[in-house]
Amino acid sequence: MIRKTISLLMIAVILSISNIYAHEGMWIPILLKKYNIAEMQKMGFKLSAEDIYSINKTSMKDAVMIFGGGCTGELISDQGLLITNHHCGYGSIQSHSSLEHDYLTNGFWAYSKKEELVNETLSVRFLVRMDDVSTQVLTGVLDNMTEEQRHRIINNNIEVIIEEATKDNSYKALIEPFFYGNQYFLFIEEVFTDVRLVGAPPSAIGKFGGDTDNWMWPRHTGDFSLFRIYADKDNKPADYSEDNVPYKPKKHFPISIKGVKKGDFTMVFGYPGSTQEYLPSFAVDMIKNKINPERIAIRQNIIDILIGDMNSDPGIRIKYASKYAGVSNGWKKWQGENKGLKKLKAIAKKQEQEKKFQAWVNADKSRLAKYGSILTDYEEIYSVLAPYKIAEQYFFEAIWKLETIKFTARIASLSRKGAGYTQKDIDGLKTYAKKFFKNYNLSTDKKIFNKMILMYRQNAGSDFMPDFYDFMIPLKYFKVSEEVALRAYTEFYFDDTFYLDEEKFNEFINNYTVESAKKIKATSSYKLYASFITSYLTKISPVTQTYSAKLDSLDRIYMKAQMLVDTSKVFYPDANFTLRVGYGQVDDYEPRDGVFYKHYTTLAGVIKKDNPKIYDYNVPQKLKDLYATKNYGQYAENGEMHVCFTASNHTTGGNSGSPVINGNGELIGINFDRNWEGTMSDIMYNPDQCRNISLDIRYALFIIDKFAGATNLIEEMTIISE
């Protein structure tokens, strides 16, 4: 019998609607009219669901995009101008930076379209439409199938649907599962690949506070950057060409400079990355008490090395600025997540929910037969899986992210092709290497390499050691410590790997032949890379894949059961980097007893934090001058220049750069962060504890106008002052 998933799913959702908490949830825009719009309008939204998402008329979805590989952006002019976070554009800004043109430190502004900078690998994706294709995807799926059979049928169905959806057009299509595979949606996208850098404030504005302030409130970060989408003369996507022209969008956001006050309606419209709201207690326990501590420790060691090297040399700071930001972001987020889970007593709350679930199961023989073993199965799986997941984290966090390993992996892919390599393969590796060496420092890599190899040895688990470590066994006869042995090996490793020298690499690749593969495989880097890969594929991956398949099945069934047993609970799908709506209100909060934070910050707070001795707090003189003269233009409120504000929207990674929209559908802010106490919202949401942090759009306009003098950009925008 074909699974009746969708009807059961929708019944459960319908039953839960009467108890929706307005500020929790990441909602599917196509379903807003049916489930959310009445609640939104009661909170202050003055438009319709069709104004947010429509395939029959222009709507907000036409002005929102996936920016790059993991952020959101939005259009703010009819000439393809878009705004996103500074940290989302950071990699592009860094790629154009050098000691001669340090755009990270000094900022960049294009005062004409001719001055805008091309980004070779940057793209944006617009949603054309989305459709519920659950019935088509699940056609032929039966209850008594194995997971392998189920996946095979689903994948075949997906291929057919995507082929049909992209026939005779230039769109891209993907199908994503929702509610752990109980529901499926098709997404049709239009991809633009000519996206140029237009403007970015100095890091002391766009990244003000650095890691110290990251995930924290109060916040004073002007986290924005500007780009422009280009298209061909027919307004269609096209690769970079001097003949391309600014894209003419269907929709761009009008910008309100009226400001925000506590209680105002806010909507975040973007692409949240990943959440795990419906995990069992055993999974939360593993994440909090086993996985997160190890990930934090690994990244702490990398951060310590990077800080030392970046502070010692401006050139290294430029090379590693983007890499450092990526490492430190997760490091601090996981710390906040653990603190939040502890404060919320998340594991205990999950266990209480599971007791109620089991009581519901036990009350009916048919439910007992179907769901009776779910929790005991979970407990058994996670008890076995935990050490393998720790080893997996050490492989991916400590080893696979090493610069030399990543470079070796690219070269190894060429050597594996043997005589089947092409000139395109050679050119692709040359392009990769050019970028690699531009942002590479050998001594920094050595330090991180040595520390990560040692950490893996000491913490990944004795069952998961690659053969590479066997070289240390004879050393015990010489009474040499592992630390000393690794330092010696590190020097040998880098001396022996010729292609880590740019000149030697270029000579090698320019004269590449089939026989050259032997030279690659003879290097210490290749041997170590192969040793770790072999260990992972034979000792770790088979177990994690086996149990992941079992969890896929359990998660799907448990999700369905949760929706049937608890009709008072809000059920929204976990984030999966598809377009979602979160709505709430501007709000302050109390992170702990005796501490109260109001909902906004001002430029006065920036000036108070000014410290010329610290890179992230060295406020530009011009900004201090503007503050001293109160030269805020039309962007001030009661003589103050507002910088950021907090609200109760449910957000996560991927929502960075998302538009924050008021009840009139106008842009009032750019979402860029969450409060540290609320980062556990990826696993469990607490309306009293969780706040999203947004840049007040007026501060961005003030920086563009008064600080940068880029009035050419202001003139493009539709600004609403009343």
Side-chain angles (χ1 to χ4, degrees), residues 84-99:
T84 187
N85 287 155
H86 184 272
H87 75 260
C88 293
Y90 202 69
S92 296
I93 302 164
Q94 187 268 342
S95 71
H96 293 293
S97 296
S98 62
L99 287 174

Side-chain angles (χ1 to χ4, degrees), residues 395-413 416 432 436 440 445 448-449 452-453 468 489 493-494 497 499-500 523-533:
F395 174 76
F396 284 112
E397 286 284 334
I399 304 302
W400 195 244
K401 288 183 179 179
L402 288 169
E403 292 184 277
T404 176
I405 294 296
K406 288 192 288 187
F407 195 21
T408 298
R410 288 297 298 262
I411 293 176
S413 67
R416 284 195 298 271
Y432 177 86
F436 175 85
Y440 181 69
D445 193 24
I448 295 174
F449 174 89
M452 292 300 101
I453 294 293
F468 151 76
Y489 175 79
Y493 172 95
F494 282 89
T497 305
Y499 50 77
L500 294 177
T523 63
S524 293
S525 182
Y526 183 89
K527 292 174 182 176
L528 182 142
Y529 156 80
S531 180
F532 270 103
I533 286 289

Side-chain angles (χ1 to χ4, degrees), residues 86-315:
H86 184 272
H87 75 260
C88 293
Y90 202 69
S92 296
I93 302 164
Q94 187 268 342
S95 71
H96 293 293
S97 296
S98 62
L99 287 174
E100 294 75 24
H101 300 287
D102 190 353
Y103 299 136
L104 287 177
T105 299
N106 303 318
F108 170 80
W109 305 99
Y111 297 98
S112 70
K113 293 182 177 66
K114 290 183 179 179
E115 298 176 12
E116 295 170 0
L117 301 178
V118 177
N119 301 285
E120 294 180 359
T121 60
L122 181 61
S123 65
V124 298
R125 290 185 278 161
F126 289 95
L127 178 66
V128 177
R129 75 172 195 273
M130 61 184 297
D131 296 308
D132 186 338
V133 292
S134 304
T135 300
Q136 299 96 303
V137 170
L138 294 171
T139 295
V141 174
L142 306 177
D143 279 336
N144 59 357
M145 283 182 168
T146 65
E147 284 299 299
E148 183 179 353
Q149 291 170 326
R150 177 187 173 88
H151 285 305
R152 184 166 59 249
I153 290 175
I154 287 174
N155 291 336
N156 289 339
N157 290 341
I158 286 174
E159 286 182 15
V160 172
I161 297 168
I162 288 178
E163 183 178 358
E164 180 64 26
T166 55
K167 186 167 59 178
D168 301 325
N169 61 56
S170 59
Y171 295 143
K172 304 293 184 182
L174 71 154
I175 293 176
E176 293 288 351
F178 288 70
F179 296 111
Y180 293 96
N182 283 299
Q183 194 170 18
Y184 289 84
F185 277 83
L186 167 70
F187 297 87
I188 306 296
E189 299 175 334
E190 188 169 36
V191 183
F192 289 82
T193 55
D194 187 354
V195 184
R196 306 180 194 180
L197 177 62
V198 174
S203 284
I205 293 175
K207 203 174 181 292
F208 183 79
D211 290 314
T212 303
D213 286 2
N214 191 22
W215 301 108
M216 305 301 288
W217 183 261
R219 196 69 176 274
H220 300 87
T221 310
D223 196 348
F224 78 95
S225 56
L226 299 167
F227 292 78
R228 193 184 304 279
I229 304 168
Y230 280 76
D232 65 18
K233 58 184 176 59
D234 297 318
N235 208 38
K236 297 295 183 183
D239 290 336
Y240 168 77
S241 169
E242 291 184 358
D243 296 328
N244 286 349
V245 295
Y247 171 60
K248 297 185 183 301
K250 300 175 185 176
K251 165 86 176 173
H252 70 276
F253 284 105
I255 299 173
S256 171
I257 58 172
K258 292 176 287 187
V260 300
K261 64 181 183 298
K262 183 178 177 179
D264 280 356
F265 173 86
T266 55
M267 183 180 91
V268 174
F269 199 18
Y271 288 85
S274 178
T275 58
Q276 299 172 292
E277 300 286 347
Y278 306 106
L279 290 175
S281 62
F282 315 103
V284 178
D285 179 71
M286 184 179 75
I287 292 169
K288 177 182 177 293
N289 296 316
K290 297 180 176 67
I291 301 300
N292 278 354
E294 300 297 340
R295 295 195 291 191
I296 292 165
I298 292 168
R299 293 200 177 193
Q300 178 68 70
N301 280 275
I302 296 172
I303 285 169
D304 290 344
I305 293 168
L306 290 178
I307 286 176
D309 282 16
M310 292 169 71
N311 287 343
S312 69
D313 188 326

